[in-house]
Amino acid sequence: MQWKNVLLMLLVTSVWSISVQAEVAITENEGRITVTVDGQLFTEWWHGDWLAPYLYPVVGPSGQSVTRHYPMKDEAPDEDRDHPHHRSIRFSHRNVNGFSFWAPDSKAGGSRARIVLDEVEKIQSGETGELVLRNRWMGDDKLVLTETVRLSFIPLEKRQMLMDFDVSLEANGDSDVEFVDEKDGGLMVRVAGTMKVADRKTKVGEGTILTSRGDKNQEAWGKRAEWADYYGPDPSGKVAGVAIFDHPSNLRYPTHWHARTYGLITANRFGAGFFEAKNGATKGDGSYTIRRGDTLKLRHRLYIHLGDSESADVAGQYQK
């Protein structure tokens, strides 16, 4: 009986180490959907002010955003004014049937590509929160694909957060959907300027990129890994991080990482040929086609944490 009690205690401890009791509230507003935890802002899903949706800000454990403000706000002196399409957290790709959803406002993509909200399918508040949205990826005002995004919010102790970011990509337009082999695509995070490994001009920074395979900083670029973590001092000076986990059921698991020392990590499974060639392998075609009528499902989890990868036990959280 004594051992049974010990086992029960361990199981309860394990469960409570994953989440804490908190109230996640999700509310719909004009052009955005707001997520709060115990009355404090965590993030907002913006879908009405640009050509594609994104999450911003993403408030970390110290109460500061762990993703950059630019171009939504042009107020942080430590942020580079580059890549205005790197909007905090978003999912997209540079070349889908010839349209750039990665940078829809760039010269290369023009303004022909856009991702528009079709329906808010589900909003669920409580000890955990869930948001399900359907979006239309449009090229030249014609449907390229329909995307279902599922976001879940699992509060942890010390204002840390687990956030699922799952997407289902349905080829329900007039043709197959080809994701062309490109480095720019997938689920991306652009961290706060204070957290970057190196400034684009001065090459100086205090952040770190680390993957599950042990690749660090610039060595992480284009490599495969089960997870990648980007951590460094947030605007308050406290070390925080954002890790992206790749689910074993995903296409081309473990994914390649488009990881940049100036503040970007992207789980990109559609650039395999590009990355392998840059890493010395024979150039192949990493393009992927979703046949008309078919659906590709991708699962990701983000871990917004306090401290570096080791102190936050990113590897252990991934296994959970």
Side-chain angles (χ1 to χ4, degrees), residues 268-299:
N268 182 7
R269 61 203 76 255
F270 302 118
F274 184 94
F275 292 129
E276 293 297 335
K278 288 290 185 179
N279 288 321
T282 301
K283 171 66 175 175
D285 186 3
S287 301
Y288 183 81
T289 298
I290 307 173
R291 300 299 178 190
R292 185 182 178 192
D294 289 346
T295 299
L296 174 65
K297 296 182 179 182
L298 302 173
R299 299 177 64 187

Side-chain angles (χ1 to χ4, degrees), residues 133-152:
L133 309 127
R134 282 181 65 82
N135 301 314
R136 286 175 285 125
W137 291 36
M138 307 293 292
D140 283 340
D141 293 323
K142 293 182 179 180
L143 180 66
V144 176
L145 64 84
T146 297
E147 171 195 49
T148 301
V149 177
R150 174 189 169 272
L151 303 171
S152 71

